[in-house]
Amino acid sequence: MSTIYQNYLLQSEPNKFSLDTLKAGEMIVNMGPQHPSTHGVLRLEVVTDGEIVREVVPHIGYLHRCFEKHAESMAYNQTIPYVDRMDYLAAMNSEHVWCMGVEKLMGITDQILKRVEYIRVLVAELNRIASHFVAIGTYAIDIGAFTPFLWMLRDREHIQRLLEWVSGARMLYNYIWVGGLYYDLPIGFEERCREFIDYLLPKLDEIDTILLENKIFIDRTANVGVLPLDVAINYGCTGPMLRGSGLKYDLRRVDGYSVYPELEFDVPIGQGLAGTTGDCWDRNYVRALECRESVKIIRQCLDKLTTDHKRTPDFDPQAACPKKIRMTGTKELYFRAETPRGELGYFFRTTDKSDVPFRCHGRSPCFSNLSVLPEISRGCMVADLIAIVGSVDIVLGEIDR
């Protein structure tokens, strides 16, 4: 191969390590970006010594959404469909964060109707369960268990249909709007949703039995990829990654946004029940427990939506939606909230009387969570690297924002 083509290859697929830096017996192996266990178009540059992983470097940039440039070229309320496409497995949660941030910028947080707030939390928690189901189900496939994946996707389909009934879309909803909602809940939705969560609770018990208590699953995940709490904090890990290491830190409790302060729910943490606190099993365990807590929240929201804040003929979900967003003066704001993967935040810089942000930046929880991968993978087996990547639960659309 000529020198010019070799240079092109190095530019198109940059590596941190080269043949000159390898020790005797080591080799560079590329895992991805097409590998199914990388959970998206992620390329891992792995330095191996036999079956032992000496170093691993995640390479991103294969699925660039250009979200921030899109957000800086259109109005705040027109950006919501692009927000959906970042973490496409938890679009409702991402919409919720974006809209709350813009509402705080505009100073209309107090104008949001209580029924709107409870509906927002209801659909966001349904989406949280659906997202965790994908995380747990695909992780089971990574480890070698196929049945839990089929069960998780079966029950996630019920949630998809409920959210499609609400918004008209299966995954990318554009349902939560700045100041309100696209539409009220369909008639009969509350009853159907209550039937679903009554159906779901026994299914969660089955998953505990077939997966979390399965000896093979425990052997493959316990004491593997241990993330010490101080390392998790230093790398900026959030969500189940951080809570799996033993810290009870959930923005729904810490920041108390929307109507979460009015709701009762626990914050599950990793306790090292199967191995060491902060291992792959603990991270999966926390996600499974969070599904149960989301069911509690959904039940409380349904109670409120059928009693204190039940539907009335004069309810208008778009009552506080501004016809035209106009900011007053130059402001800067960073707003954050808890998504299924951790702290999703948006930084805004406004300009006077413009409905387009001068600067917009997204803080992706997956980006920070993925950055700790080299620390917790060093010295593991190649097969364990698959288990570690799956336990991080990444969505590349949010990382390559």
Side-chain angles (χ1 to χ4, degrees):
M1 185 183 294
S2 65
T3 304
I4 186 171
Y5 287 115
Q6 287 179 346
N7 292 335
Y8 285 155
L9 184 61
L10 290 175
Q11 290 173 10
S12 63
E13 292 193 2
N15 288 330
K16 179 179 180 181
F17 298 97
S18 65
L19 296 178
D20 301 334
T21 60
L22 295 183
K23 299 177 182 177
E26 292 183 346
M27 65 178 179
I28 300 175
V29 178
N30 275 315
M31 184 183 297
Q34 76 291 340
H35 199 286
S37 70
T38 55
H39 293 230
V41 278
L42 168 69
R43 181 169 76 94
L44 298 177
E45 178 190 347
V46 186
V47 178
T48 63
D49 183 357
E51 284 293 313
I52 303 298
V53 174
R54 295 302 182 197
E55 293 287 345
V56 56
V57 181
H59 290 274
I60 62 174
Y62 294 88
L63 178 69
H64 211 294
R65 293 294 190 195
C66 300
F67 165 77
E68 290 159 352
K69 285 304 172 187
H70 280 140
E72 292 167 11
S73 61
M74 58 187 59
Y76 295 91
N77 49 356
Q78 293 177 332
T79 310
I80 296 173
Y82 296 90
V83 175
D84 286 337
R85 286 158 175 80
M86 289 176 63
D87 184 352
Y88 41 79
L89 293 178
M92 285 292 190
N93 300 88
S94 302
E95 290 177 15
H96 197 193
V97 184
W98 176 269
C99 291
M100 287 189 296
V102 177
E103 288 159 4
K104 190 169 182 178
L105 268 176
M106 299 177 64
I108 62 172
T109 302
D110 296 336
Q111 300 176 24
I112 310 301
L113 300 175
K114 278 290 186 180
R115 179 170 173 84
V116 169
E117 292 280 21
Y118 275 106
I119 292 175
R120 286 179 171 185
V121 171
L122 171 67
V123 295
E125 293 304 319
L126 282 170
N127 210 172
R128 188 184 307 275
I129 296 175
S131 175
H132 282 338
F133 278 5
V134 174
I136 297 170
T138 54
Y139 191 47
I141 282 190
D142 291 341
I143 302 302
F146 193 63
T147 302
F149 171 75
L150 296 177
W151 289 4
M152 295 277 90
L153 268 290
R154 174 200 64 195
D155 294 334
R156 176 176 176 266
E157 185 65 25
H158 296 307
I159 300 177
Q160 299 282 85
R161 289 174 180 173
L162 285 171
L163 295 179
E164 184 179 11
W165 190 17
V166 168
S167 65
R170 281 175 54 82
M171 287 183 65
L172 308 173
Y173 305 106
N174 191 16
Y175 178 67
I176 299 176
W177 284 7
V178 176
L181 303 166
Y182 166 64
Y183 202 71
D184 193 6
L185 295 177
I187 295 175
F189 182 87
E190 295 92 331
E191 293 75 13
R192 187 74 61 83
C193 189
R194 200 181 296 274
E195 290 174 6
F196 167 70
I197 61 175
D198 290 338
Y199 153 87
L200 185 63
L201 283 173
K203 305 301 179 184
L204 296 177
D205 295 334
E206 291 178 0
I207 288 300
D208 288 348
T209 302
I210 196 174
L211 191 64
L212 294 179
E213 299 170 10
N214 185 294
K215 185 181 187 306
I216 299 175
F217 183 78
I218 293 174
D219 289 344
R220 286 296 313 278
T221 57
N223 300 312
V224 174
V226 177
L227 175 61
L229 182 56
D230 59 335
V231 176
I233 293 172
N234 289 337
Y235 271 83
C237 296
T238 54
M241 284 285 287
L242 178 62
R243 293 190 287 274
S245 296
L247 183 62
K248 190 171 286 193
Y249 185 86
D250 189 313
L251 293 179
R252 293 174 293 177
R253 281 281 182 243
V254 175
D255 289 356
Y257 56 87
S258 191
V259 291
Y260 282 109
E262 303 173 20
L263 302 172
E264 292 293 329
F265 63 97
D266 298 324
V267 179
I269 59 173
Q271 304 171 55
L273 298 179
T276 306
T277 301
D279 58 15
C280 291
W281 190 90
D282 264 348
R283 291 190 279 276
N284 203 61
Y285 172 70
V286 166
R287 292 187 183 98
L289 291 184
E290 285 187 3
C291 291
R292 295 180 180 273
E293 299 307 315
S294 291
V295 168
K296 289 183 187 177
I297 295 173
I298 291 169
R299 197 182 296 275
Q300 294 173 70
C301 289
L302 291 173
D303 291 340
K304 289 289 187 179
L305 290 171
T306 52
T307 55
D308 299 344
H309 307 292
K310 62 184 179 181
R311 69 176 73 244
T312 57
D314 59 340
F315 171 68
D316 181 7
Q318 299 180 20
C321 292
K323 301 300 181 187
K324 185 76 171 178
I325 294 179
R326 292 294 190 191
M327 297 297 176
T328 56
T330 301
K331 303 176 185 177
E332 290 186 358
L333 172 72
Y334 174 75
F335 189 86
R336 63 181 187 173
E338 190 76 27
T339 69
R341 282 153 197 86
E343 176 186 327
L344 173 63
Y346 293 109
F347 170 80
F348 303 93
R349 178 179 292 167
T350 71
T351 50
D352 192 23
K353 297 182 180 179
S354 174
D355 61 346
V356 178
F358 176 77
R359 182 74 176 95
C360 177
H361 176 68
R363 190 270 184 199
S364 162
C366 295
F367 186 87
S368 300
N369 293 346
L370 180 64
S371 68
V372 82
L373 181 65
E375 288 289 333
I376 61 179
S377 302
R378 202 170 288 121
C380 73
M381 305 285 283
V382 172
D384 290 338
L385 179 60
I386 303 297
I388 295 171
V389 173
S391 72
V392 177
D393 183 25
I394 55 174
V395 170
L396 267 297
E398 188 177 78
I399 294 175
D400 297 337
R401 62 197 176 282

Short mmCIF file of all heavy atoms in Angstrom, two decimals, residues 28 68 80 101 112 163 189 203 229 279:
data_model
loop_
_atom_site.label_atom_id
_atom_site.label_comp_id
_atom_site.label_asym_id
_atom_site.label_seq_id
_atom_site.Cartn_x
_atom_site.Cartn_y
_atom_site.Cartn_z
N ILE A 28 -3.69 -5.14 18.71
CA ILE A 28 -4.82 -4.21 18.69
C ILE A 28 -6.00 -4.88 18.00
O ILE A 28 -5.85 -5.38 16.87
CB ILE A 28 -4.46 -2.91 17.97
CG1 ILE A 28 -3.29 -2.21 18.67
CG2 ILE A 28 -5.67 -1.98 17.90
CD1 ILE A 28 -2.80 -0.98 17.95
N GLU A 68 -26.84 20.36 18.51
CA GLU A 68 -26.61 21.70 19.04
C GLU A 68 -26.69 22.76 17.94
O GLU A 68 -27.20 23.86 18.15
CB GLU A 68 -25.27 21.72 19.78
CG GLU A 68 -25.35 20.93 21.08
CD GLU A 68 -23.99 20.49 21.60
OE1 GLU A 68 -23.00 20.68 20.87
OE2 GLU A 68 -23.93 19.98 22.73
N ILE A 80 -37.99 20.57 19.65
CA ILE A 80 -38.40 19.38 20.39
C ILE A 80 -38.27 18.10 19.56
O ILE A 80 -37.80 17.08 20.07
CB ILE A 80 -39.84 19.56 20.93
CG1 ILE A 80 -39.86 20.71 21.94
CG2 ILE A 80 -40.35 18.28 21.59
CD1 ILE A 80 -41.23 21.11 22.42
N GLY A 101 -36.54 23.52 30.96
CA GLY A 101 -35.47 24.51 30.87
C GLY A 101 -35.93 25.78 30.17
O GLY A 101 -35.65 26.89 30.64
N ILE A 112 -47.67 26.55 34.63
CA ILE A 112 -47.97 25.21 34.11
C ILE A 112 -49.04 24.57 34.98
O ILE A 112 -48.90 24.49 36.21
CB ILE A 112 -46.71 24.33 34.07
CG1 ILE A 112 -45.56 25.08 33.38
CG2 ILE A 112 -47.01 23.02 33.38
CD1 ILE A 112 -45.86 25.49 31.97
N LEU A 163 -48.12 4.96 24.68
CA LEU A 163 -47.58 6.27 24.30
C LEU A 163 -47.97 6.65 22.88
O LEU A 163 -48.13 7.84 22.57
CB LEU A 163 -46.05 6.25 24.45
CG LEU A 163 -45.54 6.07 25.88
CD1 LEU A 163 -44.01 6.05 25.91
CD2 LEU A 163 -46.07 7.16 26.80
N PHE A 189 -57.65 6.43 28.92
CA PHE A 189 -56.22 6.13 29.04
C PHE A 189 -55.85 5.75 30.47
O PHE A 189 -55.07 4.82 30.70
CB PHE A 189 -55.39 7.33 28.59
CG PHE A 189 -53.90 7.09 28.64
CD1 PHE A 189 -53.25 6.53 27.56
CD2 PHE A 189 -53.17 7.41 29.78
CE1 PHE A 189 -51.88 6.30 27.61
CE2 PHE A 189 -51.81 7.18 29.83
CZ PHE A 189 -51.16 6.63 28.74
N LYS A 203 -44.76 -9.58 36.25
CA LYS A 203 -43.73 -9.80 35.23
C LYS A 203 -42.36 -9.37 35.73
O LYS A 203 -41.34 -9.98 35.38
CB LYS A 203 -44.08 -9.05 33.94
CG LYS A 203 -45.46 -9.38 33.38
CD LYS A 203 -45.59 -10.87 33.07
CE LYS A 203 -46.97 -11.20 32.53
NZ LYS A 203 -47.15 -12.64 32.32
N LEU A 229 -16.93 4.16 44.01
CA LEU A 229 -17.73 5.37 44.10
C LEU A 229 -16.91 6.62 43.81
O LEU A 229 -17.38 7.52 43.10
CB LEU A 229 -18.38 5.47 45.48
CG LEU A 229 -19.29 6.68 45.72
CD1 LEU A 229 -20.40 6.74 44.68
CD2 LEU A 229 -19.87 6.64 47.12
N ASP A 279 -20.51 -3.26 40.76
CA ASP A 279 -20.19 -4.15 39.64
C ASP A 279 -21.32 -4.16 38.62
O ASP A 279 -22.33 -3.47 38.78
CB ASP A 279 -19.86 -5.57 40.13
CG ASP A 279 -21.01 -6.20 40.92
OD1 ASP A 279 -22.14 -5.67 40.86
OD2 ASP A 279 -20.77 -7.21 41.61
#
